[in-house]
Amino acid sequence: MQTLIKGARVIDPGHLDAPCDVLINGDRIEAVQPAGTLAVQGNGVTVVEAAGKWLTPGLIDLHVHFREPGQEYKETILTGSRAAAAGGFTAVCTMPNTDPVNDDPAITALIRRKAETAGLVRVYPVAAISKGSKGEQLSEFGELKAAGAVAVSDDGLPVMSSLLMRRALEYADGFGLLVISHCEEMHLAAGGAMNEGPLATRMGLAGIPNAAESIMVMRDIALAALTGAPVHIAHVSTRESVTAIRRAKEEGIPVTAETAPHYFTLTEAAVAGYNTNAKMNPPLRTEADRQAIRQALAGGTLDAIATDHAPHAPMEKDVEFDRAPNGIIGLETALPLGLQLVADGVLTIETLITRMATTPARILGLPTGVRPGQPADLTLIDPEATFEVQAATMQSKSRNTPFENLRLKGRATMTIMGGKVTHQTPDGNPQPR
Amino acid sequence: MPLERKDILDMESLSVEEIQLILDTADSMKEISERPIKKVPVLRGKTVILFFYEPSTRTRTSFDIAAKRLSADSLSLSGDMSSLVKGETLLDTARNLEAMHPDVVVLRHRFSGAPHYLAKRLKASVINAGDGTHAHPSQALLDMLTVRRRKGTLEGLKVAIIGDIAHSRVARSNCAGFTKMGATVTLAGPPTMIPKGAETLGATVAPTVEDAITGADVVMMLRIQKERLKPFSMSSEREYARFFGLDRRRLALARPDALVMHPGPINRGVEIASEVADGPQSIILEQVTNGVAVRMALLYLVLGGSRNADPD
């Protein structure tokens, strides 16, 4: 089976930025040639007229929660995969805080199997650092890797013990597993519900100071320096964390970091009125933090944009603010929110794709690129498509987005994973001939 | 002039005119409580549900008496007898309450913003009787009424609020209320109990308790709320009393005619010495008395009463 994508502007950061025809044969890219020069004869070739659109390597999300096993009422691997494909993603890393926690090769294997059955997005399970994410005993990293895990993290239940974190870095490095750290000093965060500051004080909500994050970022950097093992910092939200990561990189310490679209788009002001759809951990911060995050994405201190897609059922968010669970869905809004950074002149389109595809692939050691021989994982973007965010029309099983009714410009009109079309908007119809 | 709002949620949302209306109405309500027959029929046939998710004796009793003096049917639900313990959500509880057609729901809740949540979902009026560490508007209004009756006005007064500001809904609502009415508010307490950005409440933060009290017209002491204290906020009650409590010596820094207030219940010998709590400048029990009048005014006004209508 062949697919020919004609005339799109191919944006493969560091490699190619030109109008091209791209031929997919089976699950691989077969040819990439200047637009108008690739002609394919024969039946069974699907042609996609893509002039005016952008074709990029498939987007990769380093941080999602698909809730399966155990919390299928929030999301399943199938619905999460649909959401990912609809957002232009061809690969995601699923966090281990399922029920039970993914600390067991059988669970890792189950996630892989379900994802393969769904067949919409490559799912790379992140296994737990500690058994049950309880911070007491290392999980079996070797077994977990053999079952398909690509990284380890105690996301959501961060590792408080510096000794455990040190050992995790050392042990994971030996297996070639990445350690992803949710940086939160939980004693200092003290069960807070939003960013600490004047707004929290006025609203009578317990605040989480920036330092609750940056202290642990600095600790993990120190441990990466001590062990020489790489650490990846999840969902950076503060300017102090950005400064610490920049300095660590200058010193050659092996640290990478991601942020999420909500941290470069929103501030704590979104919480006003006790809006539980703006409640997340780390919390939305101030404008100074938001600006620092944006600049760090431009300058490369922050390597990747990950969604921290965290579905929760409507009834769980429809409660008193303090009782609401943390997190928002993000897979179907990440790309347009990223494109807004391009529209704002913060990032070039090449840098955006670097942060959403190329670097995430490098961090995970995955192939990427719009090049002959590479897996046909591709995202076709219509930069002019405008739409209004309507949670009710999303593919995710949950509806918890703070971006409801926001008008956005630019979206994935087609997603191709392993040569297979996993998503297409009605206006992006392929034309069989 | 009627009150053009369904709910009383916090002081920030009330205008100067509305506060004035509530205080004036409360003034006129006071006399009812002094009659031999302490009851007028203005809210006859109205149903007031007192929904207290958090233990409270004073505020609940005060609202209850206020409702009864206006002839409303009042009914108390507490968290431990309600369906909350059976796992019902606030939303479902609200829907069930709504189905019984109450006119007013008075809500006390341990989470900030819960009354705002309820107000959006109920046709009935919601009066916030204290939510988490956020707001306690009826307390602020009764404090303002008490001071206004003593001083004649709130304008230009210097108010010191001392204690655990971080966890005090009383402090937040009084900051908003008193400053709206032209008073200045100064906050002080152990630095562990001053929240980040406390100035945003409209007050200034004094470096010491003495600084805050010096020259004050009103000294309001906050209760050390042991149930809300976060770890490491204070060392000992003895030390608190010595460095942050109100005793005669510290009170002498205030104006000679300064009023001593406390929202109660007081921890004698901790935030306030008995000699001050029971002393001539203390108006703590007047606060309680005025609490009934303010709550009568709130119930009356949210149910469509207007100041010039004769409550008889």
Side-chain angles (χ1 to χ4, degrees), chain B residues 187-203:
Chain B
L187 306 171
T192 51
M193 297 180 175
I194 305 294
K196 281 267 176 257
E199 307 76 25
T200 193
L201 301 172

PDB file of all heavy atoms in Angstrom, chain B residues 187-203:
ATOM      1  N   LEU B 187      -2.109  44.413  59.513  1.00  0.00           N
ATOM      2  CA  LEU B 187      -2.037  43.010  59.936  1.00  0.00           C
ATOM      3  C   LEU B 187      -0.712  42.746  60.633  1.00  0.00           C
ATOM      4  O   LEU B 187       0.306  43.332  60.274  1.00  0.00           O
ATOM      5  CB  LEU B 187      -2.138  42.083  58.721  1.00  0.00           C
ATOM      6  CG  LEU B 187      -3.334  42.282  57.792  1.00  0.00           C
ATOM      7  CD1 LEU B 187      -3.169  41.430  56.529  1.00  0.00           C
ATOM      8  CD2 LEU B 187      -4.632  41.912  58.510  1.00  0.00           C
ATOM      9  N   ALA B 188      -0.730  41.862  61.607  1.00  0.00           N
ATOM     10  CA  ALA B 188       0.521  41.441  62.225  1.00  0.00           C
ATOM     11  C   ALA B 188       0.340  40.066  62.834  1.00  0.00           C
ATOM     12  O   ALA B 188      -0.779  39.648  63.146  1.00  0.00           O
ATOM     13  CB  ALA B 188       0.977  42.436  63.281  1.00  0.00           C
ATOM     14  N   GLY B 189       1.461  39.405  63.036  1.00  0.00           N
ATOM     15  CA  GLY B 189       1.442  38.075  63.616  1.00  0.00           C
ATOM     16  C   GLY B 189       2.783  37.426  63.376  1.00  0.00           C
ATOM     17  O   GLY B 189       3.673  38.040  62.778  1.00  0.00           O
ATOM     18  N   PRO B 190       2.935  36.191  63.797  1.00  0.00           N
ATOM     19  CA  PRO B 190       4.186  35.497  63.496  1.00  0.00           C
ATOM     20  C   PRO B 190       4.368  35.416  61.983  1.00  0.00           C
ATOM     21  O   PRO B 190       3.380  35.183  61.266  1.00  0.00           O
ATOM     22  CB  PRO B 190       3.968  34.097  64.079  1.00  0.00           C
ATOM     23  CG  PRO B 190       2.798  34.214  64.993  1.00  0.00           C
ATOM     24  CD  PRO B 190       1.974  35.351  64.518  1.00  0.00           C
ATOM     25  N   PRO B 191       5.576  35.623  61.487  1.00  0.00           N
ATOM     26  CA  PRO B 191       5.781  35.581  60.028  1.00  0.00           C
ATOM     27  C   PRO B 191       5.305  34.270  59.401  1.00  0.00           C
ATOM     28  O   PRO B 191       4.938  34.247  58.223  1.00  0.00           O
ATOM     29  CB  PRO B 191       7.300  35.723  59.885  1.00  0.00           C
ATOM     30  CG  PRO B 191       7.726  36.454  61.115  1.00  0.00           C
ATOM     31  CD  PRO B 191       6.807  36.002  62.216  1.00  0.00           C
ATOM     32  N   THR B 192       5.265  33.194  60.160  1.00  0.00           N
ATOM     33  CA  THR B 192       4.763  31.916  59.625  1.00  0.00           C
ATOM     34  C   THR B 192       3.267  31.978  59.343  1.00  0.00           C
ATOM     35  O   THR B 192       2.733  31.114  58.670  1.00  0.00           O
ATOM     36  CB  THR B 192       4.988  30.786  60.640  1.00  0.00           C
ATOM     37  OG1 THR B 192       4.473  31.210  61.907  1.00  0.00           O
ATOM     38  CG2 THR B 192       6.462  30.451  60.786  1.00  0.00           C
ATOM     39  N   MET B 193       2.605  32.984  59.891  1.00  0.00           N
ATOM     40  CA  MET B 193       1.152  33.061  59.763  1.00  0.00           C
ATOM     41  C   MET B 193       0.691  34.233  58.888  1.00  0.00           C
ATOM     42  O   MET B 193      -0.492  34.550  58.848  1.00  0.00           O
ATOM     43  CB  MET B 193       0.519  33.180  61.150  1.00  0.00           C
ATOM     44  CG  MET B 193       0.776  31.954  62.021  1.00  0.00           C
ATOM     45  SD  MET B 193       0.027  32.131  63.642  1.00  0.00           S
ATOM     46  CE  MET B 193       0.367  30.506  64.347  1.00  0.00           C
ATOM     47  N   ILE B 194       1.657  34.878  58.234  1.00  0.00           N
ATOM     48  CA  ILE B 194       1.313  35.952  57.304  1.00  0.00           C
ATOM     49  C   ILE B 194       1.419  35.372  55.895  1.00  0.00           C
ATOM     50  O   ILE B 194       2.491  34.954  55.472  1.00  0.00           O
ATOM     51  CB  ILE B 194       2.287  37.148  57.441  1.00  0.00           C
ATOM     52  CG1 ILE B 194       2.344  37.645  58.888  1.00  0.00           C
ATOM     53  CG2 ILE B 194       1.885  38.266  56.480  1.00  0.00           C
ATOM     54  CD1 ILE B 194       1.066  38.247  59.402  1.00  0.00           C
ATOM     55  N   PRO B 195       0.316  35.313  55.157  1.00  0.00           N
ATOM     56  CA  PRO B 195       0.378  34.669  53.846  1.00  0.00           C
ATOM     57  C   PRO B 195       1.139  35.523  52.827  1.00  0.00           C
ATOM     58  O   PRO B 195       1.233  36.742  52.982  1.00  0.00           O
ATOM     59  CB  PRO B 195      -1.096  34.547  53.449  1.00  0.00           C
ATOM     60  CG  PRO B 195      -1.771  35.650  54.174  1.00  0.00           C
ATOM     61  CD  PRO B 195      -1.014  35.830  55.463  1.00  0.00           C
ATOM     62  N   LYS B 196       1.653  34.852  51.804  1.00  0.00           N
ATOM     63  CA  LYS B 196       2.334  35.561  50.714  1.00  0.00           C
ATOM     64  C   LYS B 196       1.362  36.525  50.050  1.00  0.00           C
ATOM     65  O   LYS B 196       0.243  36.173  49.732  1.00  0.00           O
ATOM     66  CB  LYS B 196       2.830  34.563  49.667  1.00  0.00           C
ATOM     67  CG  LYS B 196       4.101  33.857  50.061  1.00  0.00           C
ATOM     68  CD  LYS B 196       5.325  34.594  49.530  1.00  0.00           C
ATOM     69  CE  LYS B 196       6.619  33.950  49.998  1.00  0.00           C
ATOM     70  NZ  LYS B 196       7.264  34.706  51.087  1.00  0.00           N
ATOM     71  N   GLY B 197       1.841  37.758  49.867  1.00  0.00           N
ATOM     72  CA  GLY B 197       0.992  38.734  49.201  1.00  0.00           C
ATOM     73  C   GLY B 197      -0.160  39.201  50.059  1.00  0.00           C
ATOM     74  O   GLY B 197      -1.239  39.512  49.553  1.00  0.00           O
ATOM     75  N   ALA B 198       0.047  39.268  51.381  1.00  0.00           N
ATOM     76  CA  ALA B 198      -1.032  39.689  52.282  1.00  0.00           C
ATOM     77  C   ALA B 198      -1.505  41.107  51.955  1.00  0.00           C
ATOM     78  O   ALA B 198      -2.667  41.452  52.170  1.00  0.00           O
ATOM     79  CB  ALA B 198      -0.573  39.611  53.736  1.00  0.00           C
ATOM     80  N   GLU B 199      -0.616  41.922  51.385  1.00  0.00           N
ATOM     81  CA  GLU B 199      -0.985  43.302  51.027  1.00  0.00           C
ATOM     82  C   GLU B 199      -2.142  43.303  50.031  1.00  0.00           C
ATOM     83  O   GLU B 199      -2.881  44.272  49.939  1.00  0.00           O
ATOM     84  CB  GLU B 199       0.203  44.048  50.412  1.00  0.00           C
ATOM     85  CG  GLU B 199       1.491  44.021  51.232  1.00  0.00           C
ATOM     86  CD  GLU B 199       2.214  42.684  51.157  1.00  0.00           C
ATOM     87  OE1 GLU B 199       2.028  41.963  50.163  1.00  0.00           O
ATOM     88  OE2 GLU B 199       2.941  42.346  52.117  1.00  0.00           O
ATOM     89  N   THR B 200      -2.257  42.223  49.294  1.00  0.00           N
ATOM     90  CA  THR B 200      -3.300  42.140  48.281  1.00  0.00           C
ATOM     91  C   THR B 200      -4.696  42.150  48.916  1.00  0.00           C
ATOM     92  O   THR B 200      -5.696  42.352  48.242  1.00  0.00           O
ATOM     93  CB  THR B 200      -3.101  40.867  47.434  1.00  0.00           C
ATOM     94  OG1 THR B 200      -3.926  40.944  46.293  1.00  0.00           O
ATOM     95  CG2 THR B 200      -3.479  39.626  48.217  1.00  0.00           C
ATOM     96  N   LEU B 201      -4.747  41.924  50.224  1.00  0.00           N
ATOM     97  CA  LEU B 201      -6.034  41.972  50.919  1.00  0.00           C
ATOM     98  C   LEU B 201      -6.447  43.420  51.186  1.00  0.00           C
ATOM     99  O   LEU B 201      -7.516  43.663  51.737  1.00  0.00           O
ATOM    100  CB  LEU B 201      -5.949  41.193  52.232  1.00  0.00           C
ATOM    101  CG  LEU B 201      -5.580  39.702  52.094  1.00  0.00           C
ATOM    102  CD1 LEU B 201      -5.320  39.068  53.448  1.00  0.00           C
ATOM    103  CD2 LEU B 201      -6.691  38.947  51.366  1.00  0.00           C
ATOM    104  N   GLY B 202      -5.600  44.364  50.820  1.00  0.00           N
ATOM    105  CA  GLY B 202      -5.941  45.767  51.022  1.00  0.00           C
ATOM    106  C   GLY B 202      -5.370  46.332  52.305  1.00  0.00           C
ATOM    107  O   GLY B 202      -5.605  47.487  52.648  1.00  0.00           O
ATOM    108  N   ALA B 203      -4.625  45.506  53.017  1.00  0.00           N
ATOM    109  CA  ALA B 203      -4.077  45.916  54.304  1.00  0.00           C
ATOM    110  C   ALA B 203      -2.577  46.143  54.181  1.00  0.00           C
ATOM    111  O   ALA B 203      -1.959  45.774  53.189  1.00  0.00           O
ATOM    112  CB  ALA B 203      -4.346  44.828  55.340  1.00  0.00           C
TER     113      ALA B 203
END
